[in-house]
Amino acid sequence: MVRLPLTPAQVEAGRRLGTRLRAARADRDLTETAAAAGISPETLRKIETGRLPTPAFGTIVSVAAVLDIPLEELADTWRSAGLAESA
């Protein structure tokens, strides 16, 4: 299966998502947060910096649970710039 390149809007949505997750993590240790979510620290770092703009749904569910962020709030963050029609 060939994956289509991400649009600029999708890349920007990934950056917004990462920024929101980083803000929610605040002063919590990245390594401890990643371990609690069952992912590697590097994966969490890539999500937070926008270098992984389309993380797997299960990854986001796990991180959201650890950070106590409702999934609907993260979905709103992702859609906030009219991305819904292009995602």
Side-chain angles (χ1 to χ4, degrees):
M1 182 165 130
V2 176
R3 183 174 174 162
L4 296 175
L6 298 176
T7 66
Q10 289 170 318
V11 171
E12 181 55 32
R15 286 189 187 115
R16 286 192 310 274
L17 178 65
T19 298
R20 175 64 188 101
L21 292 173
R22 174 63 189 100
R25 186 168 60 81
D27 294 332
R28 295 183 223 186
D29 183 73
L30 181 133
T31 302
E32 291 173 9
T33 302
I39 62 173
S40 73
E42 185 59 23
T43 296
L44 182 55
R45 187 176 294 108
K46 285 179 180 179
I47 293 168
E48 287 184 354
T49 60
R51 292 182 316 183
L52 182 57
T54 58
F57 180 71
T59 299
I60 293 304
V61 169
S62 296
V63 174
V66 168
L67 297 176
D68 197 30
I69 305 171
L71 286 176
E72 185 64 31
E73 183 178 321
L74 293 179
D76 289 344
T77 298
W78 175 265
R79 290 188 296 253
S80 69
L83 185 69
E85 65 275 0
S86 64

